Amino acid sequence: YKAGLDSVAMSTISVPEGQRTNVTLPDGSNVWLNACTTIQYPTSFNSRERFVILKGEAYFDVKKNKSRPFIVHTDAYSIEVLGTKFNVDAYPETEKFETTLMHGSVKVTLKADSSQTVILKPDHKLSLEKGRFVMTKVEDYNPYRWREGIISFKDATFPYIIHKFEKYYGVEIRIENKAVMNYRCTGKFRHSDGVRYALRVLQKDVDFQFVRDEENHIIYIK
């Protein structure tokens, strides 16, 4: 979504690893940004529409304004909103694009094929799989509690969890023990407890040791 941006003064907020932040947009809408997330938005919204450009994960609580739609642009699709609460997971490097609706109504349109449009219902999530939209009911809201500093996994692979730990705790973790790669884990971790505690909790289910290289800030899974 680059057309028309040249004449608009934009604000950019980038959240580093290990952090999350809360932003109030010019219209009073509230956004939580997860780690490794960037959002761009005009310093003031025009009278026709409100839009933001998102790379990463964010939770939106949008101020209702029927005459000015609110649009979230991601690499894969755009989401049009009237007034609602929803979570968008759109980290470009993972190619996992998910929109989860808590309240209200959103319309999701595929960037590559604008004829693919879905109106999402509350308590449902829309995923992009092989270029097609797939809608499923949300049974577990724990994954969206990252705003509270809670990291939740359900039957996730060990490498996936470690990758998430790197992002949430802002550390580099290298897996040298290949035996752990096939493990799947379920658990809930607090950001405030820190990465050492989280790894110790994982050790109850998975047989591994970890060593921290303090000088280079790298944790090795052995």
Coordinates of all heavy atoms in Angstrom, one line a residue, residues 1 3 11 13 15 30 39 43 49 54 57 66 86 100 103 118 126 134 149 155 166 168 172-173 191 214-216 222:
Y1 N 0.9 -1.2 0.0 CA 0.0 0.0 0.0 C 0.9 1.2 0.0 O 1.1 1.9 1.0 CB -0.9 0.0 1.2 CG -2.0 1.1 1.2 CD1 -3.1 0.9 0.4 CD2 -1.9 2.2 2.0 CE1 -4.0 1.9 0.3 CE2 -2.8 3.2 1.9 CZ -3.9 3.1 1.1 OH -4.9 4.0 1.1
A3 N 0.8 3.6 -2.8 CA 0.2 4.7 -3.5 C -0.4 5.7 -2.6 O -1.1 5.4 -1.6 CB -0.9 4.1 -4.4
S11 N 3.8 8.3 10.7 CA 4.5 8.0 11.9 C 4.8 6.5 11.9 O 4.0 5.7 11.4 CB 3.6 8.2 13.2 OG 3.3 9.6 13.3
I13 N 6.3 3.2 14.2 CA 6.7 2.7 15.6 C 7.2 1.2 15.4 O 6.4 0.4 14.8 CB 5.5 2.7 16.6 CG1 5.2 4.2 16.8 CG2 5.9 2.0 17.9 CD1 4.0 4.4 17.7
V15 N 8.8 -2.1 17.4 CA 9.0 -2.7 18.7 C 10.1 -3.7 18.6 O 10.0 -4.7 17.8 CB 7.7 -3.4 19.2 CG1 7.9 -3.9 20.7 CG2 6.5 -2.4 19.2
N30 N -7.0 2.2 20.0 CA -5.9 1.7 20.8 C -5.3 0.4 20.2 O -6.0 -0.4 19.7 CB -6.4 1.4 22.2 CG -5.3 1.1 23.2 OD1 -5.0 0.0 23.4 ND2 -4.8 2.2 23.8
I39 N 4.5 -0.7 12.9 CA 3.2 -0.2 12.4 C 3.5 1.2 11.9 O 4.3 2.0 12.4 CB 2.2 -0.1 13.5 CG1 0.8 0.2 12.9 CG2 2.5 0.9 14.6 CD1 -0.4 0.0 13.9
T43 N 0.1 10.8 10.5 CA 0.1 11.6 11.8 C -1.3 12.1 12.1 O -1.7 12.4 13.2 CB 1.1 12.7 11.7 OG1 0.9 13.4 10.5 CG2 2.5 12.2 11.8
E49 N -10.9 8.0 5.2 CA -10.6 6.7 5.8 C -9.5 6.8 6.8 O -8.7 7.8 6.8 CB -10.2 5.6 4.7 CG -8.9 6.0 4.0 CD -8.3 4.8 3.2 OE1 -9.1 3.9 2.8 OE2 -7.1 4.9 2.9
L54 N 0.8 -2.7 8.8 CA 1.3 -3.6 9.9 C 2.2 -4.7 9.4 O 1.9 -5.4 8.4 CB 0.1 -4.2 10.6 CG 0.5 -5.2 11.7 CD1 1.1 -4.5 12.9 CD2 -0.7 -6.0 12.1
E57 N 2.6 -8.5 14.8 CA 1.4 -8.9 15.5 C 0.9 -7.7 16.3 O 1.6 -7.1 17.0 CB 1.6 -10.1 16.4 CG 0.3 -10.6 17.1 CD 0.5 -11.9 17.7 OE1 1.6 -12.4 18.0 OE2 -0.6 -12.6 18.0
K66 N -18.6 5.1 11.5 CA -19.2 4.5 10.3 C -18.8 5.3 9.1 O -18.7 4.7 8.0 CB -20.7 4.4 10.4 CG -21.1 3.3 11.4 CD -22.6 3.0 11.3 CE -22.9 1.8 12.2 NZ -24.3 1.7 12.5
F86 N -9.8 -6.9 17.5 CA -9.4 -8.1 16.8 C -7.8 -8.1 16.9 O -7.2 -7.1 17.2 CB -9.8 -8.0 15.3 CG -9.3 -6.8 14.6 CD1 -8.3 -6.9 13.6 CD2 -9.9 -5.6 14.7 CE1 -7.9 -5.9 12.9 CE2 -9.5 -4.5 14.0 CZ -8.4 -4.6 13.1
T100 N -8.0 -12.7 14.0 CA -8.9 -13.3 15.0 C -9.8 -12.2 15.5 O -9.3 -11.1 16.0 CB -8.1 -13.9 16.2 OG1 -7.2 -14.8 15.7 CG2 -9.1 -14.6 17.1
H103 N -14.7 -9.0 18.9 CA -16.0 -8.3 18.9 C -16.2 -7.6 17.6 O -15.2 -7.1 17.0 CB -16.1 -7.3 20.1 CG -15.9 -7.9 21.4 ND1 -16.8 -8.6 22.1 CD2 -14.8 -7.8 22.3 CE1 -16.4 -9.0 23.2 NE2 -15.1 -8.5 23.4
V118 N -13.7 -12.1 2.8 CA -14.5 -12.8 3.8 C -14.9 -11.9 4.9 O -14.1 -11.0 5.4 CB -13.6 -14.0 4.4 CG1 -14.4 -14.6 5.6 CG2 -13.3 -15.0 3.4
L126 N -9.4 -16.2 10.9 CA -9.2 -16.4 9.4 C -7.7 -16.6 9.2 O -6.9 -15.8 9.5 CB -9.7 -15.2 8.7 CG -10.0 -15.4 7.2 CD1 -11.1 -16.4 6.9 CD2 -10.4 -14.1 6.5
V134 N -9.1 -19.7 5.2 CA -9.7 -20.8 6.0 C -10.2 -20.2 7.3 O -9.4 -19.6 8.0 CB -8.7 -21.9 6.3 CG1 -9.3 -23.0 7.1 CG2 -8.1 -22.5 5.0
G149 N 1.4 -10.0 28.8 CA 2.7 -10.6 29.1 C 2.7 -12.1 29.4 O 3.6 -12.6 30.1
D155 N 0.4 -27.8 22.3 CA 0.9 -28.8 21.4 C 1.8 -28.2 20.3 O 1.7 -28.6 19.1 CB -0.2 -29.6 20.8 CG 0.3 -30.9 20.1 OD1 1.2 -31.5 20.6 OD2 -0.3 -31.3 19.1
E166 N 12.8 -16.5 21.8 CA 13.8 -15.5 21.3 C 13.2 -14.1 21.1 O 13.7 -13.1 21.5 CB 14.4 -16.0 20.0 CG 15.4 -17.2 20.1 CD 16.0 -17.5 18.8 OE1 15.3 -17.7 17.8 OE2 17.3 -17.6 18.8
Y168 N 10.1 -13.1 22.3 CA 9.5 -12.5 23.5 C 10.5 -12.0 24.6 O 10.2 -11.0 25.2 CB 8.5 -13.5 24.1 CG 7.2 -13.7 23.4 CD1 6.8 -14.9 23.0 CD2 6.4 -12.6 23.1 CE1 5.6 -15.1 22.3 CE2 5.2 -12.8 22.5 CZ 4.8 -14.0 22.0 OH 3.6 -14.2 21.4
E172 N 19.1 -14.7 22.0 CA 19.4 -15.6 21.0 C 19.5 -17.0 21.6 O 20.3 -17.2 22.6 CB 20.6 -15.2 20.2 CG 20.9 -16.2 19.0 CD 22.2 -15.8 18.3 OE1 22.7 -14.7 18.4 OE2 22.7 -16.6 17.5
I173 N 18.8 -18.0 21.1 CA 18.9 -19.4 21.6 C 19.3 -20.3 20.4 O 18.6 -20.3 19.4 CB 17.6 -19.8 22.2 CG1 17.1 -18.8 23.3 CG2 17.7 -21.2 22.8 CD1 15.7 -19.1 23.9
H191 N 6.1 -13.3 30.8 CA 7.2 -12.5 30.4 C 8.1 -12.1 31.5 O 9.3 -12.1 31.5 CB 6.7 -11.3 29.6 CG 7.8 -10.6 28.9 ND1 8.5 -9.6 29.5 CD2 8.3 -10.7 27.6 CE1 9.4 -9.1 28.6 NE2 9.3 -9.8 27.5
E214 N 27.3 -15.5 28.7 CA 26.9 -14.2 29.1 C 27.6 -13.1 28.3 O 27.0 -12.0 28.0 CB 27.4 -14.0 30.6 CG 26.7 -14.9 31.6 CD 25.2 -14.6 31.7 OE1 24.7 -13.6 31.2 OE2 24.5 -15.4 32.4
E215 N 28.8 -13.4 27.8 CA 29.5 -12.4 27.0 C 28.8 -12.1 25.7 O 28.7 -10.9 25.3 CB 31.0 -12.9 26.7 CG 31.9 -11.8 26.3 CD 33.4 -12.3 26.2 OE1 33.7 -13.2 27.0 OE2 34.0 -11.8 25.3
N216 N 28.3 -13.1 25.0 CA 27.7 -12.9 23.7 C 26.2 -13.0 23.8 O 25.5 -12.9 22.7 CB 28.2 -14.0 22.7 CG 29.7 -13.9 22.5 OD1 30.2 -12.8 22.2 ND2 30.4 -15.0 22.7
K222 N 21.6 -27.9 25.1 CA 22.5 -29.0 24.9 C 21.9 -30.3 25.3 O 20.9 -30.3 26.1 CB 23.8 -28.8 25.7 CG 24.6 -27.6 25.2 CD 25.8 -27.4 26.0 CE 26.7 -26.2 25.5 NZ 27.3 -26.5 24.2

